[in-house]
Amino acid sequence: MIPRINPLAGKPAPAASLVNIPRLITAYYSERPDPSVASQRVAFGTSGHRGSSFDTSFNEAHVLSISQAICEYRRQHGINGPLFMGFDTHALSAPAFASALEVLAANGVEVMIAAQDEYTPTPAISHAILTYNRGRSGGLADGIVITPSHNPPDNGGFKYNPTNGGPADSDITGWIENRANELLRPGALGIKRTPYSAARRAATTHSHDYVTNYVADLGNILDMNVIRDSKIRMGVDPLGGAGVHYWPRIAERYGLDLTVVNDEVDPTFRFMTLDWDGKIRMDPSSSYAMQRLIHLKDRYDIAFACDTDHDRHGIVTVSSGLMPPNHYLSAAIDYLFSNRGLWRADAAVGKTVVSSAMIDRVGRRLKRSVFEVPVGFKWFVDGLVDGKLGFGGEESAGASFSRIDGSVWTTDKDGIVPALLSAEITARTGQDPGARYQALTQELGTSFADRIDAPATPAQKAKLGKLDRQQVKITELAGEPIEQILTQAPGNNAPIGGVKVTSSGGWFAARPSGTEDIYKIYAESFHDDAHLRRLIREAQSIVDAALAGA
């Protein structure tokens, strides 16, 4: 079914919608998960293990078990360098950080934690791992990011980044998940733990200045001079997230006219406007969640926001307001591959199967290959490391790209850098990214796109994720012959966990979310909005048939 937009969507969060933080933290420590119940087991989706302590899906026992499993994985694979660990501003992140440190210290792991207990964005962790490992063949570093990304305030999340700095691949997360669930069983032994105060004082616990190291390196991926010299006015909303103290440091170091429109950190996120379903969700790509910055757009030449762990970006332009993520990715790709002369001549564009076909058209215009992979940033890691990919981006507003010299910057999503890139584009070209995208449509065609999210049970998600192309019994899509029915990505032949159907004038894809109990239908038409709606209706019929009986 197509979800109904909540009447409170886009409006300030009422008191009744705010999470009770004391009860949430109490549940983290008091509720004991039952690993015989599927929803209470450790489960790594596209971005680590996520859940809520209220649902007994993200509790102390989960974090202790996952942390011990990571320690054992490190020993088995000879990973003995430092582990970089950071956490975001969700209420469950600080308790999870304490639990993890107790286990890591007890296992003798050298842990790098933020100076002054500063919140740490996901890209700062990936950047730290890669910076440390550059030129090393042994004693390599890895990392842990404690965040549920843009998820609601009652959620917690825990993600492992191995020595390549990016999200762990499924073979790694599968091993950690299985071992953690063994440790989660009642009476199971094997978790080493030391009191938090002792863990903080341990000789293996070290302070690391993530902010300075990350900010000081930005001039090697962005032309900060052209941004400064243009004197363009920038506004940024950290959405109460982990980068809240990074933005003033960036402005100070590079002399930018950059205003932080809200520097409040509150674990209830009471300053947010409600998302489409009436929930608080720090999603910078949602027009409902981004109402505050959208209303301020005319005060700045360019404005942007990032989600809670700052691995996603939202771009607000004077010309077009909040840009749909696919529009900005297309404009950013066109700009970068036209203005980064030191990148490899064969560096490709990385996109996911549910990203806009406009990216394919931009790639052909640039004479660059497009590497199309399943949803999940992990699929871009190897290409970003060796420079075969100049850019990797997801339709959900996550991206990273190469340094100016073509070498790797981060192998996890970085919301800060694409946000600042919008300022570089505006400064250098005299047009904001919204205007740049409109120019692309004049040359390459106009895209009409939408994404539908709807609730789905775990059983329904599992059924949709295993959908076989033989179950899609149609020969036409919205009146046009079908060109492709994909259940594997063209770039690497990996399963996409759903289905994508394409014709000459449009496509749709359906897949379950890896982080929430919803499924998603993506559709895009290069004809008109009526054709887009027909695509969605036909996609919905296929999904309904696939989920029948689940």
Side-chain angles (χ1 to χ4, degrees):
M1 71 175 180
I2 295 179
R4 182 174 64 88
I5 302 300
N6 190 289
L8 294 178
K11 297 180 180 178
S17 69
L18 303 181
V19 64
N20 186 313
I21 300 299
R23 290 185 179 180
L24 184 72
I25 303 300
T26 299
Y28 173 82
Y29 289 107
S30 63
E31 296 298 316
R32 176 77 194 189
D34 180 353
S36 68
V37 178
S39 63
Q40 297 181 26
R41 293 169 60 84
V42 172
F44 276 78
T46 52
S47 295
H49 174 75
R50 294 183 183 178
S52 173
S53 60
F54 287 145
D55 300 330
T56 327
S57 54
F58 190 91
N59 303 81
E60 182 185 39
H62 293 105
V63 175
L64 296 174
S65 298
I66 297 170
S67 300
Q68 181 63 42
I70 288 172
C71 292
E72 295 175 13
Y73 175 84
R74 296 180 95 243
R75 280 196 293 271
Q76 283 192 14
H77 291 82
I79 302 171
N80 52 16
L83 183 145
F84 291 90
M85 183 165 66
F87 62 97
D88 76 0
T89 56
H90 276 81
L92 290 174
S93 294
F97 168 82
S99 301
L101 187 61
E102 291 175 355
V103 174
L104 295 168
N107 281 270
V109 175
E110 302 280 342
V111 185
M112 310 296 283
I113 64 175
Q116 287 82 51
D117 287 333
E118 180 61 73
Y119 301 112
T120 308
T122 287
I125 296 289
S126 181
H127 177 269
I129 295 168
L130 292 169
T131 300
Y132 184 88
N133 288 343
R134 188 175 297 128
R136 296 177 187 267
S137 57
L140 299 180
D142 54 1
I144 288 172
V145 190
I146 301 172
T147 174
S149 190
H150 63 293
N151 280 21
D154 68 344
N155 275 216
F158 201 93
K159 185 172 71 170
Y160 176 62
N161 285 30
T163 56
N164 61 21
D169 205 345
S170 54
D171 58 341
I172 299 175
T173 58
W175 191 95
I176 293 172
E177 178 181 307
N178 291 334
R179 178 56 180 151
N181 282 318
E182 290 176 2
L183 293 166
L184 204 59
R185 293 199 310 264
L189 302 175
I191 296 177
K192 297 180 180 178
R193 186 179 184 186
T194 192
Y196 181 63
S197 57
R200 291 296 300 244
R201 296 193 307 268
T204 52
T205 300
H206 310 281
S207 177
H208 181 74
D209 191 347
Y210 288 97
V211 182
T212 296
N213 283 278
Y214 179 88
V215 171
D217 209 11
L218 284 170
N220 290 311
I221 186 170
L222 296 159
D223 190 338
M224 303 302 284
N225 292 332
V226 77
I227 300 174
R228 180 196 64 229
D229 294 346
S230 70
K231 295 181 169 52
I232 62 171
R233 294 169 294 112
M234 293 166 278
V236 59
D237 190 342
L239 300 181
V244 64
H245 298 140
Y246 280 59
W247 294 106
R249 293 282 296 275
I250 292 169
E252 179 184 9
R253 181 176 180 91
Y254 296 101
L256 307 182
D257 185 354
L258 174 66
T259 301
V260 179
V261 303
N262 178 39
D263 61 2
E264 185 177 1
V265 175
D266 181 335
T268 67
F269 294 89
R270 65 180 69 238
F271 44 78
M272 292 295 299
T273 49
L274 299 181
D275 205 0
W276 66 271
D277 55 357
K279 293 183 179 180
I280 295 175
R281 192 178 283 112
M282 289 61 70
D283 182 355
S285 65
S286 166
S287 61
Y288 302 107
M290 286 279 283
Q291 282 297 300
R292 180 175 56 201
L293 194 58
I294 292 171
H295 289 321
L296 296 175
K297 75 178 182 67
D298 293 330
R299 296 187 187 180
Y300 305 101
D301 298 308
I302 191 75
F304 33 81
C306 291
D307 67 338
T308 325
D309 68 321
H310 272 49
D311 73 342
R312 300 188 188 205
H313 59 269
I315 309 300
V316 179
T317 67
V318 175
S319 65
S320 59
L322 177 65
M323 293 186 72
N326 278 311
H327 292 193
Y328 181 62
L329 293 182
S330 300
I333 290 164
D334 182 65
Y335 172 82
L336 283 167
F337 282 90
S338 302
N339 287 274
R340 294 296 192 262
L342 297 179
W343 287 9
R344 284 174 46 164
D346 63 346
V349 178
K351 62 165 280 193
T352 62
V353 292
V354 294
S355 297
S356 174
M358 180 64 83
I359 294 173
D360 300 273
R361 297 183 178 202
V362 170
R364 287 193 292 271
R365 177 180 181 273
L366 295 165
K367 297 181 172 56
R368 295 280 181 164
S369 299
V370 175
F371 182 65
E372 187 171 354
V373 298
V375 172
F377 208 78
K378 64 184 180 181
W379 302 109
F380 299 132
V381 171
D382 291 343
L384 289 169
V385 168
D386 62 20
K388 290 180 180 176
L389 292 179
F391 180 98
E394 294 187 307
E395 78 299 330
S396 56
S400 188
F401 49 89
S402 296
R403 294 168 181 261
I404 292 171
D405 67 3
S407 62
V408 63
W409 169 254
T410 61
T411 46
D412 211 330
K413 298 187 292 288
D414 188 332
I416 297 172
V417 162
L420 289 168
L421 178 67
S422 70
E424 182 187 325
I425 292 171
T426 306
R428 185 179 298 281
T429 69
Q431 292 181 304
D432 68 40
R436 299 273 300 178
Y437 179 78
Q438 288 305 313
L440 286 176
T441 66
Q442 296 298 313
E443 180 182 349
L444 303 176
T446 300
S447 162
F448 300 84
D450 201 359
R451 189 186 89 185
I452 303 298
D453 295 352
T457 66
Q460 289 175 325
K461 289 171 58 179
K463 194 168 184 179
L464 180 58
K466 295 176 182 176
L467 191 65
D468 186 88
R469 67 189 311 276
Q470 304 302 324
Q471 295 174 255
V472 184
K473 300 182 183 302
I474 56 174
T475 57
E476 286 192 347
L477 179 62
E480 297 178 328
I482 287 176
E483 294 183 346
Q484 282 184 315
I485 299 176
L486 298 174
T487 55
Q488 293 177 303
N492 58 2
N493 292 318
I496 65 177
V499 65
K500 180 178 182 180
V501 182
T502 64
S503 68
S504 60
W507 61 271
F508 81 82
R511 59 174 295 273
S513 170
T515 58
E516 298 181 84
D517 285 334
I518 58 175
Y519 70 84
K520 305 177 182 183
I521 291 176
Y522 308 79
E524 182 176 33
S525 168
F526 280 90
H527 293 310
D528 53 32
D529 189 68
H531 185 251
L532 171 65
R533 297 304 145 195
R534 185 174 174 185
L535 286 172
I536 292 172
R537 286 195 302 272
E538 293 187 14
Q540 194 74 59
S541 297
I542 292 171
V543 172
D544 288 344
L547 298 185

